[in-house]
Amino acid sequence: MLRMTDLGSGRRRGKWYLRLAVLVVCLFGVIVIYVSNQLLTQRFTETISNRSDVRLALYVTNLMNELQRNSVVPQLLSRDPDLIKALEDKDYSLSTARLLSFVDEIGAASLTLLDRDGRAVAATDRNRIGTDHRQNPYFVDAQRSNQTVYTTYQRPEGGFAYVYSRRVEVAGTLLGVIMVEVNGQRLETGWAGVSDAVLVMDSAGTIIMATEPRWRGLNEEEALARQSAPSAIERAIRATQGWGALPADAYLRGEAVLRREMRVPHQGWRMVSYTTYASVRERVNGILALEVMGFAILLALLFWGSSRRTASRLVFFQRESAELRALNRRLQREIAEREKVEKTLQVAEQTIAQSSKLAALGEMSAAVSHELNQPLAAMKTYLAGARLLLQRERPQEALSSFQRIDDLLERMGAITRQLKSYARKGAEAFEPVDTRAAVSTALSLMEPQLKTRAVNIIRTLPNEPVMILGDRLRLEQVIINLLRNALDATKLSANPTIEILLAAGDTVSLQIRDNGAGIDNLDELFEPFYTTKQPGDGVGLGLAISSGIVNDLGGRLTARNAVDGGAIFEVQLPTLRQDVAAAE
């Protein structure tokens, strides 16, 4: 009787132990799942946030590349001889075809040519021909400025236009204005995604670009208040309704959507993107399913140990465990694939960064090689002359050659220091410079090359000093480059002649003219690495560097073919006023 009582008591204690074990396992499982949910949600949320930042930075870079690429087009078209001749002759029969030949290569939305009265005389959009633009800001601002001006305005039919404009002039006389419209629709199409929405606001907070067309022209709060807009962000909101496990800063208007903002370095613009967290819930649930599987197996073992009569239930748990293991394997494969993709992306980013560094290093090496070529050639000639003088026992004249070589060495050192400042803007090292002295120094440095050939040099210089505010060394580099090009251009001429004309007025004009064969391609003449010389004779950086130097000095470098043959290069620089020179 006692043994039956003890057995019954043991069974009751076993049941209580089983219930207590089940309760402990369940409580522990709830705690583990809750903590895992919080930690994993935070981790995956940060991952999506980082990817959103990278994507937004890429969008900003693409926008700036598109704007910068279109910003240089008006400067090039304003120098197009066909368009200038059409404005001078008022014959626009071929101008539209001329613009159409450029628009596809440039990638702009449209090109428009306006005359001095603001009337569209040629356009890639033929509907605009004949329209009046004299009151529009892009025409008015372009008339008043010698630089390319940017204008954003809202079209009457809706949407915004992004226009670069520049005046077309000849010898300071306004002929018209060239307009280049940026293709903003192509950018918006590239931003569009399934769960992302992107918008760009100007400095006043007005939306000027957006993946949702109905947002344009509104501020951000007004745009989000439009509930009926079929945008990608609303689809993201619907997909994530009812999810309350995100931190407070992950919500926009009470929904699980991430907002990111980045400044666009143009006109005070800002870009905003919205990203849904829908994929985070799926990934967290997959890992939580693994934890649930573990606790389910543990409970199954407890129930299996408590009674062998529950075999059917054991089979059920085993089948469920097999399904969960299969899910675990699928999730592990997916995680491995995602990690592989992320590693591939990191390798690609490192490769792009290294390629950019090598390209910059190569360009700088080519520039240094080109700029040092002139002094090296002169040093070689002076060394040969000094050797000959020493053989003839004329040491004093040889010492003069060595002094010139020493001067050239100092100049080479100055050139290497000067090349480091090409990327900087400013006039912190500028001083009054007599342009006549710069021309004389350049001719002295070119003396060895000029002596090797019978070239007729004609100089026309004023009697009075011609002063500018600039850097004498860099101005001499420009003159040497132009003389070297003129010397090369006259190799095949019967009577090679180089004419140097310096004139002073409101601006200082320095013309270097040769009687060579002329220039075939004026459009690409000042592009880096463009050259017509044989391999080994030049790298095509001389004119590009010279144009950059003249721009830094506040002037411009132009080229044209002479009527009677040959080429004319003209450097125009601001004249130094007497009061400024006295202050200096």
Side-chain angles (χ1 to χ4, degrees), residues 188-200:
E188 294 171 339
T189 302
W191 297 337
V194 176
S195 60
D196 291 344
V198 182
L199 58 89
V200 177

PDB file of all heavy atoms in Angstrom, residues 188-200:
ATOM      1  N   GLU A 188      15.637  60.968 -63.332  1.00  0.00           N
ATOM      2  CA  GLU A 188      14.506  60.507 -62.534  1.00  0.00           C
ATOM      3  C   GLU A 188      14.157  59.061 -62.873  1.00  0.00           C
ATOM      4  O   GLU A 188      13.786  58.279 -61.997  1.00  0.00           O
ATOM      5  CB  GLU A 188      13.307  61.422 -62.764  1.00  0.00           C
ATOM      6  CG  GLU A 188      13.523  62.830 -62.250  1.00  0.00           C
ATOM      7  CD  GLU A 188      12.426  63.794 -62.656  1.00  0.00           C
ATOM      8  OE1 GLU A 188      11.718  63.493 -63.635  1.00  0.00           O
ATOM      9  OE2 GLU A 188      12.263  64.827 -61.998  1.00  0.00           O
ATOM     10  N   THR A 189      14.285  58.702 -64.139  1.00  0.00           N
ATOM     11  CA  THR A 189      14.009  57.310 -64.528  1.00  0.00           C
ATOM     12  C   THR A 189      15.020  56.359 -63.901  1.00  0.00           C
ATOM     13  O   THR A 189      14.672  55.257 -63.462  1.00  0.00           O
ATOM     14  CB  THR A 189      14.061  57.187 -66.056  1.00  0.00           C
ATOM     15  OG1 THR A 189      13.117  58.091 -66.639  1.00  0.00           O
ATOM     16  CG2 THR A 189      13.722  55.755 -66.483  1.00  0.00           C
ATOM     17  N   GLY A 190      16.282  56.778 -63.805  1.00  0.00           N
ATOM     18  CA  GLY A 190      17.298  55.933 -63.179  1.00  0.00           C
ATOM     19  C   GLY A 190      17.102  55.783 -61.685  1.00  0.00           C
ATOM     20  O   GLY A 190      17.532  54.802 -61.086  1.00  0.00           O
ATOM     21  N   TRP A 191      16.453  56.774 -61.036  1.00  0.00           N
ATOM     22  CA  TRP A 191      16.229  56.686 -59.601  1.00  0.00           C
ATOM     23  C   TRP A 191      15.056  55.779 -59.253  1.00  0.00           C
ATOM     24  O   TRP A 191      14.954  55.288 -58.133  1.00  0.00           O
ATOM     25  CB  TRP A 191      15.953  58.078 -59.025  1.00  0.00           C
ATOM     26  CG  TRP A 191      17.091  59.026 -59.169  1.00  0.00           C
ATOM     27  CD1 TRP A 191      18.400  58.711 -59.336  1.00  0.00           C
ATOM     28  CD2 TRP A 191      17.030  60.462 -59.182  1.00  0.00           C
ATOM     29  NE1 TRP A 191      19.163  59.844 -59.445  1.00  0.00           N
ATOM     30  CE2 TRP A 191      18.353  60.942 -59.347  1.00  0.00           C
ATOM     31  CE3 TRP A 191      16.006  61.396 -59.047  1.00  0.00           C
ATOM     32  CZ2 TRP A 191      18.661  62.292 -59.400  1.00  0.00           C
ATOM     33  CZ3 TRP A 191      16.318  62.744 -59.092  1.00  0.00           C
ATOM     34  CH2 TRP A 191      17.622  63.182 -59.273  1.00  0.00           C
ATOM     35  N   ALA A 192      14.131  55.615 -60.154  1.00  0.00           N
ATOM     36  CA  ALA A 192      12.895  54.911 -59.836  1.00  0.00           C
ATOM     37  C   ALA A 192      13.194  53.466 -59.423  1.00  0.00           C
ATOM     38  O   ALA A 192      13.987  52.775 -60.049  1.00  0.00           O
ATOM     39  CB  ALA A 192      11.958  54.931 -61.038  1.00  0.00           C
ATOM     40  N   GLY A 193      12.569  52.994 -58.344  1.00  0.00           N
ATOM     41  CA  GLY A 193      12.738  51.625 -57.861  1.00  0.00           C
ATOM     42  C   GLY A 193      11.430  51.091 -57.322  1.00  0.00           C
ATOM     43  O   GLY A 193      10.418  51.790 -57.245  1.00  0.00           O
ATOM     44  N   VAL A 194      11.445  49.840 -56.913  1.00  0.00           N
ATOM     45  CA  VAL A 194      10.220  49.204 -56.417  1.00  0.00           C
ATOM     46  C   VAL A 194       9.853  49.731 -55.044  1.00  0.00           C
ATOM     47  O   VAL A 194       8.692  49.967 -54.744  1.00  0.00           O
ATOM     48  CB  VAL A 194      10.405  47.673 -56.383  1.00  0.00           C
ATOM     49  CG1 VAL A 194       9.184  46.999 -55.791  1.00  0.00           C
ATOM     50  CG2 VAL A 194      10.689  47.156 -57.781  1.00  0.00           C
ATOM     51  N   SER A 195      10.849  49.917 -54.160  1.00  0.00           N
ATOM     52  CA  SER A 195      10.550  50.302 -52.780  1.00  0.00           C
ATOM     53  C   SER A 195      11.230  51.605 -52.380  1.00  0.00           C
ATOM     54  O   SER A 195      11.302  51.917 -51.216  1.00  0.00           O
ATOM     55  CB  SER A 195      11.000  49.195 -51.829  1.00  0.00           C
ATOM     56  OG  SER A 195      12.389  48.971 -51.955  1.00  0.00           O
ATOM     57  N   ASP A 196      11.750  52.364 -53.319  1.00  0.00           N
ATOM     58  CA  ASP A 196      12.417  53.618 -53.009  1.00  0.00           C
ATOM     59  C   ASP A 196      11.724  54.763 -53.724  1.00  0.00           C
ATOM     60  O   ASP A 196      11.174  54.585 -54.820  1.00  0.00           O
ATOM     61  CB  ASP A 196      13.890  53.598 -53.444  1.00  0.00           C
ATOM     62  CG  ASP A 196      14.709  52.647 -52.590  1.00  0.00           C
ATOM     63  OD1 ASP A 196      14.228  52.258 -51.511  1.00  0.00           O
ATOM     64  OD2 ASP A 196      15.809  52.303 -53.008  1.00  0.00           O
ATOM     65  N   ALA A 197      11.781  55.945 -53.115  1.00  0.00           N
ATOM     66  CA  ALA A 197      11.335  57.179 -53.744  1.00  0.00           C
ATOM     67  C   ALA A 197      12.406  58.228 -53.508  1.00  0.00           C
ATOM     68  O   ALA A 197      12.995  58.290 -52.437  1.00  0.00           O
ATOM     69  CB  ALA A 197       9.997  57.640 -53.172  1.00  0.00           C
ATOM     70  N   VAL A 198      12.671  59.041 -54.527  1.00  0.00           N
ATOM     71  CA  VAL A 198      13.744  60.035 -54.461  1.00  0.00           C
ATOM     72  C   VAL A 198      13.191  61.371 -54.924  1.00  0.00           C
ATOM     73  O   VAL A 198      12.388  61.428 -55.870  1.00  0.00           O
ATOM     74  CB  VAL A 198      14.942  59.621 -55.357  1.00  0.00           C
ATOM     75  CG1 VAL A 198      16.071  60.643 -55.251  1.00  0.00           C
ATOM     76  CG2 VAL A 198      15.445  58.245 -54.974  1.00  0.00           C
ATOM     77  N   LEU A 199      13.614  62.448 -54.258  1.00  0.00           N
ATOM     78  CA  LEU A 199      13.250  63.791 -54.676  1.00  0.00           C
ATOM     79  C   LEU A 199      14.436  64.717 -54.456  1.00  0.00           C
ATOM     80  O   LEU A 199      15.299  64.458 -53.623  1.00  0.00           O
ATOM     81  CB  LEU A 199      12.013  64.299 -53.923  1.00  0.00           C
ATOM     82  CG  LEU A 199      12.061  64.369 -52.391  1.00  0.00           C
ATOM     83  CD1 LEU A 199      12.604  65.713 -51.915  1.00  0.00           C
ATOM     84  CD2 LEU A 199      10.671  64.139 -51.804  1.00  0.00           C
ATOM     85  N   VAL A 200      14.467  65.819 -55.226  1.00  0.00           N
ATOM     86  CA  VAL A 200      15.498  66.849 -55.115  1.00  0.00           C
ATOM     87  C   VAL A 200      14.809  68.181 -54.864  1.00  0.00           C
ATOM     88  O   VAL A 200      13.876  68.543 -55.594  1.00  0.00           O
ATOM     89  CB  VAL A 200      16.362  66.924 -56.390  1.00  0.00           C
ATOM     90  CG1 VAL A 200      17.373  68.054 -56.290  1.00  0.00           C
ATOM     91  CG2 VAL A 200      17.079  65.606 -56.618  1.00  0.00           C
TER      92      VAL A 200
END
